[in-house]
Amino acid sequence: MSLSPAELLPLMSYCFVISGTPGPNNVMLASSGANFGYRRALPLIIGIQVGGALLTFVTCLGLGSLFNAFPVLHQILRVAGALYLIFLAWKLGTMKVGDAAKPMTIIQAALFQAVNPKSWMKSITLASVFMPVGLSVPVGALLVTVTGVLVGLPISSTWALFGVAIRRWLDDPLKRRIFNLSMGGTLLVLAISFLR
């Protein structure tokens, strides 16, 4: 009940690349690290992994085939994800230094994965390309999901720590405002790209 090295290395490589490249989760992680510190970014880190794991698992069990059967679901997801990113961009862009802003909770971060097109793309690719041959579907889904979390967790932490690392340069309220506006702008660009 394991993955062969020929299956594991490509799976881990894909998870590393898709989890490490910029996207909505990583922008939010860097922003949360910069604005709140690592400890207060932990719920976001954990929520992303929990939501991503649930999404991957149910997609590997067969949910991903719904997108092939009903392409309109993909369009609905893209629009819902883009609208939520626009909302997050607005919140981040209008946040003032010293505001009693709160970082995302575990539940909010986990639920966000359901409308994050990049998370769906990752899950559908894992289900369609990396499911191991010769194992039952639930066991294969569990192995793929656990591998995704084991690779993704340190990457999420790294993005939050990047935010923490630049935090000292953001002590000046003007610099913090510029950073928040640029992170909000990045989320807005991602939202627009999802609508194309």
Side-chain angles (χ1 to χ4, degrees), residues 6 77 86 119 171:
L77 173 68
I86 291 168
S119 293
D171 284 342

Side-chain angles (χ1 to χ4, degrees), residues 6 11 17 25 27 48 61 79 84 107 122 137 151 158 171:
L11 169 60
V17 170
N25 286 335
V27 171
I48 287 170
L61 290 179
V79 170
Y84 192 68
I107 292 172
K122 176 183 177 184
V137 172
V151 172
T158 300
D171 284 342

Side-chain angles (χ1 to χ4, degrees), residues 79-158:
V79 170
L83 290 174
Y84 192 68
L85 284 178
I86 291 168
F87 168 72
L88 290 175
W90 174 78
K91 276 185 69 172
L92 192 55
T94 58
M95 184 170 69
K96 293 179 175 56
V97 178
D99 274 357
K102 296 179 182 175
M104 270 191 167
T105 66
I106 291 174
I107 292 172
Q108 289 170 330
L111 289 175
F112 173 66
Q113 303 318 298
V115 295
N116 182 351
K118 188 176 177 190
S119 293
W120 275 101
M121 180 182 72
K122 176 183 177 184
S123 296
I124 290 170
T125 302
L126 289 172
S128 61
V129 176
F130 294 102
M131 279 290 286
V133 179
L135 296 175
S136 69
V137 172
V139 170
L142 184 60
L143 288 173
V144 167
T145 300
V146 169
T147 302
V149 171
L150 291 176
V151 172
L153 189 58
I155 292 171
S156 291
S157 288
T158 300

Side-chain angles (χ1 to χ4, degrees), residues 32-33 36-46 103 160-161 164 167:
S32 190
F36 306 114
Y38 184 77
R39 190 177 60 78
R40 292 185 68 201
L42 277 172
L44 177 61
I45 293 168
I46 294 166
L161 288 169
V164 172
R167 190 175 187 184

Side-chain angles (χ1 to χ4, degrees), residues 54-78:
L54 288 172
L55 188 61
T56 298
F57 188 72
V58 297
T59 303
C60 287
L61 290 179
L63 181 65
S65 62
L66 283 176
F67 285 89
N68 293 331
F70 303 102
V72 71
L73 291 176
H74 184 67
Q75 295 296 1
I76 292 169
L77 173 68
R78 286 174 60 182

